[in-house]
C-alpha cells in the first residue's frame, strides 16, 4: 500500500474509533433532587468530598394506558445471577373456619424494604426475585387516610370490606391501624448511633456515597438535645465520631464525609461496639437507637444469624432498639437484615435513591425514631356462619401461634409515631347457609354457638405494650356484615397493591386479575398523592406489565 493509501486507512480507523466512543458515552446526569428515581453516581474522587453526588436517571416508565393498550416500552428482563439472598417465602393458603382454624394470629409489620427493592429491580429493567416480594411491605409502604385515635390508645383501628377484584364471589377485608402523630419538636431526646458498613463491598455509588448523603438528611433534622455517634466496621470496628450534640451539625457531617470503603466486613464487632456506645450515652427517658446501614454482607467475626439475633434481643430488652437500612445490589443480603431489624424492635427500609432517603429521614422522621407501641399482635376470629374460608394476604414471616397472642413474652412488631399498618384478608363467604355438621368433632367445635350475633363477620383483638412496659393491653373490635362494600380510597388502593404483588409473585391466588385491571384500580383510587408515591406505583405497574406480552 502506498503512502496515500495508508493515510486514508488511518483516517478511516480514527474516525471509526471516535464515532464508537461517542456512541458509548453515558447519558448526562442530573442532581439527586431533580431525578426522582435516580441512583447516586459520583466519581470515586467525589465520594469523600462535600460535593453533592449526582444521579443518573432511571429508565422512564409510562403512567397511562391508551385504549386498553399500555404504552410501548422496553420490557423488563429476568434478574441476572447474583449473590443476593432472600429468605424462602411460602404464601398463606385458604383456611376453613371450623374449630380453632377460625383463629388467625400474626404480628404487625411496618417494614417497607421489599417495595423499594422491587422498585430498584423494575427501574433497571429486571423482574424482582419471587422471594423478594413481601406483599405486606408493599402495602405498608403507602400511608392511608385513617383517622387519628380519639382515646388514650396510641393508634386507631379501622375495618372495611370490598368485593374481591380477582375472584368473583369473594371479598377483601382490611384492618388498618393509624399511629398517633407526634410533632418533631415534641419528640423525646434521641441518642442515636450510626453503625455504618465501610467494607470494600460498600464502594459502589449506590452504597456508601448514597448512605452518607442519606444520613446527612437526618443530621439536618436533629435538635440540640439529640446526640449522634458514628461507629464504622470493615476489617475491624472503630469509632468515627464520639457522641455529639445535634447542634454541631458541621462536625457530624464532616465525620460522614471522611468515610471510605475498604476491607472485609466485621459486622459482629461493629454491632457490639455500637451497642456499647449507645449504652454509654443512654438517655433514660429518650429514644436510644442503633441505625445499621449496610448491604448485609457480614463475612468476618460473629456472623451467624443466631449469634447476631441473640445479641440484638438482649440489647432490645435493655432499651436500645435497632433499625436497619439496606443499600446497594449484587450481594444484597435481604433475609439477614430483615431478621435483625425484627428482633431489634426497629424498622427495616431499603434506600435505593435520594428520595427514599428523604421519605425515611424527613417525611417519616418521627415514625423512624419514635416507637409508640411495641409487641403489637392481631388475632382475628371469623364467624363460620358468615365466612367459609379466609386467607391472610402477606405477613407469612409474621405468623404467630394462636397461643402466642396472650403470651407477653412473645416478641412482635412495633408501631412508630404516625405510621399506618394495613392487613388484608381475602374471605369466601357462606351467604346465609350453614356448614354441614361435623362428624368427627364435638359440639364445641361445630358451627353452632349459643347467643351468637349472626350479623358479625369477625372479631378483631389487638394486644400491644407501651414502649417502656412489659404487660400488654387488649383492644377488641367487631366487623358487621352491614359494613361491606366500602368505596374508600384506602382499602381499594391497598387491594390494588396486593394484586400487583400477587402478579409479581405469579401467585396461585391471583385469580383473573391482570396488570391493566390493577393499574386502572390504582388510578381510580389514587386519592391524595402530594409526594408522588402513588403515581410512581402506577408507573411501575405499567413497566412490569410487558413480562406477560
Amino acid at each position: 500500500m502506498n503512502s496515500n493509501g495508508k493515510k486514508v486507512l488511518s483516517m478511516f480507523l480514527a474516525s471509526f474509533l471516535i464515532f464508537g466512543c461517542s456512541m458509548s458515552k453515558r447519558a448526562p446526569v442530573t442532581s439527586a433532587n431533580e431525578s426522582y428515581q435516580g441512583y447516586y453516581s459520583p466519581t470515586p474522587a467525589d465520594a469523600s468530598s462535600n460535593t453533592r453526588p449526582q444521579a443518573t436517571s432511571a429508565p422512564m416508565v409510562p403512567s397511562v394506558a391508551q385504549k386498553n393498550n399500555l404504552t410501548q416500552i422496553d420490557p423488563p428482563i429476568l434478574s441476572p445471577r447474583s449473590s443476593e439472598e432472600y429468605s424462602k417465602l411460602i404464601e398463606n393458603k385458604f383456611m376453613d373456619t371450623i374449630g380453632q382454624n377460625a383463629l388467625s394470629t400474626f404480628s404487625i409489620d411496618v417494614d417497607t424494604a421489599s417495595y423499594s427493592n422491587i422498585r430498584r429491580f423494575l427501574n433497571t429493567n429486571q423482574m424482582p426475585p419471587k422471594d423478594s416480594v413481601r406483599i405486606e411491605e408493599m402495602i405498608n409502604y403507602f400511608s392511608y387516610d385513617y383517622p387519628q385515635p380519639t382515646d388514650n390508645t396510641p393508634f386507631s383501628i379501622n375495618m372495611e370490606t370490598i368485593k374481591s377484584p380477582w375472584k368473583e364471589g369473594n371479598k377483601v377485608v382490611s384492618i388498618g391501624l393509624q399511629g398517633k402523630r407526634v410533632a418533631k419538636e415534641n419528640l423525646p431526646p434521641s441518642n442515636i448511633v450510626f453503625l455504618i458498613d465501610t467494607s470494600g463491598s460498600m464502594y459502589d455509588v449506590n452504597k456508601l456515597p448514597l448512605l452518607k448523603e442519606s444520613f446527612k438528611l437526618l443530621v439536618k433534622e436533629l435538635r440540640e438535645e439529640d446526640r449522634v455517634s458514628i461507629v464504622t466496621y470493615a476489617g475491624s470496628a472503630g469509632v468515627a465520631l464520639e457522641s455529639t450534640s445535634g447542634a454541631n451539625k458541621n462536625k457530624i457531617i464532616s465525620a460522614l464525609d471522611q468515610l471510605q470503603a475498604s476491607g472485609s466486613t466485621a459486622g459482629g464487632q461493629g454491632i457490639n461496639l455500637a451497642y456499647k456506645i449507645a449504652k454509654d450515652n443512654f438517655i433514660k427517658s429518650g429514644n436510644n437507637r442503633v441505625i445499621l446501614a449496610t448491604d448485609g454482607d457480614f463475612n468476618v467475626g460473629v456472623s451467624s444469624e443466631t449469634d447476631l439475633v441473640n445479641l440484638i434481643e438482649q440489647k432490645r430488652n435493655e432499651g436500645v432498639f435497632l433499625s436497619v437500612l439496606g443499600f446497594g445490589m449484587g450481594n444484597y443480603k435481604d433475609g439477614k437484615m430483615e431478621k435483625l431489624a425484627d428482633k431489634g424492635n426497629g424498622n427495616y427500609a431499603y434506600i435505593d435513591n435520594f428520595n427514599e432517603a428523604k421519605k425515611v429521614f424527613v417525611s417519616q422522621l418521627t415514625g423512624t425514631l419514635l416507637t409508640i407501641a411495641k409487641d403489637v399482635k392481631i388475632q382475628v376470629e371469623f364467624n363460620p356462619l358468615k365466612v367459609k374460608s379466609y386467607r391472610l394476604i402477606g405477613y407469612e414471616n409474621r405468623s404467630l401461634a394462636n397461643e402466642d397472642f396472650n403470651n407477653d413474652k412473645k416478641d412482635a412488631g412495633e408501631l412508630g409515631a404516625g405510621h399506618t399498618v394495613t392487613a388484608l384478608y381475602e374471605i369466601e363467604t357462606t351467604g346465609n347457609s350453614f356448614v354441614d355438621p361435623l362428624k368427627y368433632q364435638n359440639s364445641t367445635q361445630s358451627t353452632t354457638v349459643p347467643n351468637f350475633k349472626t350479623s358479625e363477620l369477625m372479631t378483631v383483638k389487638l394486644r400491644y405494650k407501651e414502649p417502656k412496659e412489659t404487660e400488654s393491653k387488649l383492644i377488641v373490635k367487631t366487623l358487621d356484615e352491614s359494613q361491606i362494600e366500602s368505596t374508600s380510597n384506602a382499602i381499594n388502593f391497598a387491594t390494588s397493591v396486593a394484586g400487583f404483588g400477587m402478579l409479581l409473585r405469579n401467585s396461585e391466588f391471583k385469580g383473573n386479575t391482570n396488570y391493566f385491571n390493577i393499574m386502572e384500580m390504582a388510578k381510580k383510587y389514587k386519592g391524595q398523592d402530594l409526594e408522588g408515591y402513588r403515581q410512581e406505583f402506577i408507573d411501575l405497574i405499567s413497566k412490569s406489565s410487558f413480562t406477560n406480552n
Side-chain angles (χ1 to χ4, degrees):
M1 182 180 296
N2 59 31
S3 58
N4 289 335
K6 289 180 179 180
K7 289 180 180 179
V8 171
L9 179 59
S10 298
M11 292 174 63
F12 172 80
L13 290 175
S15 299
F16 176 82
L17 289 173
I18 292 170
F19 176 78
C21 290
S22 66
M23 291 295 288
S24 65
K25 287 183 180 179
R26 300 180 65 178
V29 297
T30 58
S31 72
N33 290 329
E34 293 171 341
S35 178
Y36 183 78
Q37 301 180 33
Y39 289 119
Y40 271 123
S41 182
T43 63
D46 292 334
S48 61
S49 71
N50 291 322
T51 304
R52 181 179 298 277
Q54 301 296 299
T56 57
S57 296
M60 297 299 294
V61 296
S63 60
V64 296
Q66 299 176 342
K67 297 181 180 180
N68 295 342
N69 292 313
L70 298 171
T71 305
Q72 180 64 47
I73 56 174
D74 291 335
I77 59 175
L78 293 177
S79 55
R81 291 179 179 271
S82 71
S83 61
E84 295 194 5
E85 295 176 2
Y86 298 91
S87 299
K88 183 69 176 176
L89 191 153
I90 300 175
E91 282 188 291
N92 292 325
K93 309 294 183 183
F94 274 95
M95 301 288 292
D96 63 44
T97 56
I98 303 303
Q100 291 296 310
N101 280 350
L103 290 176
S104 172
T105 309
F106 65 99
S107 162
I108 69 162
D109 184 7
V110 296
D111 295 345
T112 60
S114 179
Y115 179 83
S116 48
N117 190 34
I118 290 167
R119 179 177 62 203
R120 181 255 297 188
F121 277 103
L122 294 177
N123 280 336
T124 53
N125 287 338
Q126 301 177 62
M127 286 303 293
K130 181 177 180 179
D131 289 325
S132 73
V133 180
R134 295 186 290 273
I135 294 178
E136 73 278 7
E137 294 185 25
M138 296 178 64
I139 294 171
N140 289 326
Y141 182 86
F142 302 95
S143 297
Y144 299 92
D145 54 353
Y146 303 134
Q148 281 288 294
T150 56
D151 52 19
N152 293 326
T153 58
F155 50 83
S156 67
I157 305 170
N158 310 274
M159 294 185 287
E160 301 177 274
T161 306
I162 60 170
K163 292 179 180 179
S164 169
W166 48 76
K167 187 171 182 181
E168 186 176 356
N170 283 6
K171 300 184 183 300
V172 176
V173 179
S174 72
I175 304 171
L177 308 184
Q178 172 63 64
K180 185 175 296 184
R181 295 187 180 94
V182 178
K184 186 179 73 171
E185 57 269 22
N186 295 329
L187 287 173
S190 291
N191 163 39
I192 304 172
V193 180
F194 294 166
L195 175 55
I196 299 177
D197 182 353
T198 56
S199 64
S201 68
M202 292 292 291
Y203 180 81
D204 294 343
V205 295
N206 58 351
K207 294 185 180 182
L208 186 59
L210 175 56
L211 181 159
K212 293 193 290 186
E213 295 301 313
S214 299
F215 274 123
K216 289 177 187 178
L217 289 172
L218 174 55
V219 171
K220 293 174 182 178
E221 299 295 320
L222 296 177
R223 304 158 302 174
E224 182 177 1
E225 59 266 37
D226 301 319
R227 303 194 67 83
V228 168
S229 310
I230 300 177
V231 172
T232 64
Y233 64 92
S236 60
V239 179
L241 179 71
E242 297 287 353
S243 184
T244 301
S245 167
N248 201 343
K249 293 177 172 52
N250 289 337
K251 182 179 180 181
I252 302 171
I253 290 174
S254 177
L256 287 169
D257 282 333
Q258 293 175 35
L259 301 181
Q260 299 289 336
S262 64
S264 54
T265 316
Q269 292 181 26
I271 288 178
N272 274 295
L273 181 57
Y275 277 125
K276 180 182 182 302
I277 297 295
K279 291 296 289 185
D280 289 345
N281 299 279
F282 192 84
I283 301 175
K284 187 175 181 180
S285 59
N287 164 47
N288 299 276
R289 187 176 299 268
V290 174
I291 302 180
L292 168 61
T294 178
D295 58 10
D297 194 9
F298 300 98
N299 55 28
V300 173
V302 182
S303 59
S304 76
E305 287 187 16
T306 301
D307 290 339
L308 289 171
V309 165
N310 289 340
L311 171 67
I312 290 165
E313 287 180 329
Q314 174 192 340
K315 299 303 180 182
R316 173 193 74 200
N317 294 333
E318 296 175 4
V320 180
F321 292 175
L322 174 72
S323 292
V324 179
L325 302 178
F327 290 84
M329 63 181 72
N331 64 333
Y332 190 61
K333 311 301 181 188
D334 173 82
K336 180 174 291 188
M337 290 188 287
E338 182 193 20
K339 181 177 290 187
L340 298 184
D342 291 348
K343 298 301 181 182
N345 278 12
N347 54 310
Y348 169 39
Y350 176 78
I351 309 296
D352 60 330
N353 58 46
F354 190 71
N355 271 40
E356 185 64 20
K358 288 195 293 185
K359 180 176 184 285
V360 172
F361 284 139
V362 180
S363 302
Q364 299 180 355
L365 176 66
T366 58
T368 300
L369 294 183
L370 180 62
T371 297
I372 60 173
K374 68 179 183 179
D375 294 339
V376 184
K377 306 171 189 174
I378 298 177
Q379 187 170 79
V380 180
E381 180 182 356
F382 291 94
N383 177 5
L385 299 177
K386 298 295 180 182
V387 180
K388 181 179 180 182
S389 64
Y390 66 89
R391 186 177 85 87
L392 177 60
I393 302 175
Y395 291 91
E396 284 82 3
N397 56 7
R398 299 291 182 144
S399 177
L400 296 173
N402 290 336
E403 57 267 26
D404 289 338
F405 181 74
N406 292 320
N407 181 1
D408 280 350
K409 294 183 179 179
K410 186 67 177 180
D411 182 54
E414 282 62 49
L415 183 67
H419 275 167
T420 60
V421 175
T422 301
L424 300 180
Y425 282 93
E426 182 177 1
I427 63 172
E428 180 186 8
T429 60
T430 60
N432 294 318
S433 64
F434 290 83
V435 177
D436 289 339
L438 299 178
K439 181 178 180 180
Y440 299 109
Q441 297 188 44
N442 61 38
S443 59
T444 61
Q445 296 171 306
S446 74
T447 61
T448 303
V449 182
N451 302 319
F452 196 80
K453 295 181 179 179
T454 57
S455 63
E456 292 180 359
L457 285 177
M458 64 190 203
T459 295
V460 177
K461 296 185 291 185
L462 292 98
R463 284 197 177 275
Y464 74 95
K465 298 173 189 170
E466 300 286 348
K468 305 294 183 181
E469 300 298 323
T470 58
E471 185 175 336
S472 67
K473 298 179 181 180
L474 176 66
I475 303 175
V476 180
K477 294 197 72 172
T478 59
L479 178 66
D480 195 272
E481 64 180 345
S482 64
Q483 296 174 247
I484 63 174
E485 305 307 326
S486 172
T487 58
S488 80
N489 290 329
I491 185 173
N492 282 281
F493 188 83
T495 300
S496 74
V497 177
F500 183 48
M502 287 192 286
L503 289 172
L504 291 177
R505 289 188 56 81
N506 192 27
S507 168
E508 64 177 290
F509 305 108
K510 67 181 185 295
N512 58 9
T513 194
N514 56 61
Y515 288 106
F516 178 76
N517 291 340
I518 288 298
M519 185 171 71
E520 290 299 298
M521 185 178 189
K523 289 165 61 178
K524 181 177 179 180
Y525 295 102
K526 183 174 72 171
Q528 192 174 43
D529 187 30
L530 297 178
E531 294 171 308
Y533 299 137
R534 297 190 175 204
Q535 182 59 50
E536 179 192 51
F537 169 71
I538 294 168
D539 294 342
L540 290 178
I541 299 174
S542 180
K543 185 173 184 64
S544 61
S545 66
F546 286 92
T547 55
N548 287 344
N549 290 347

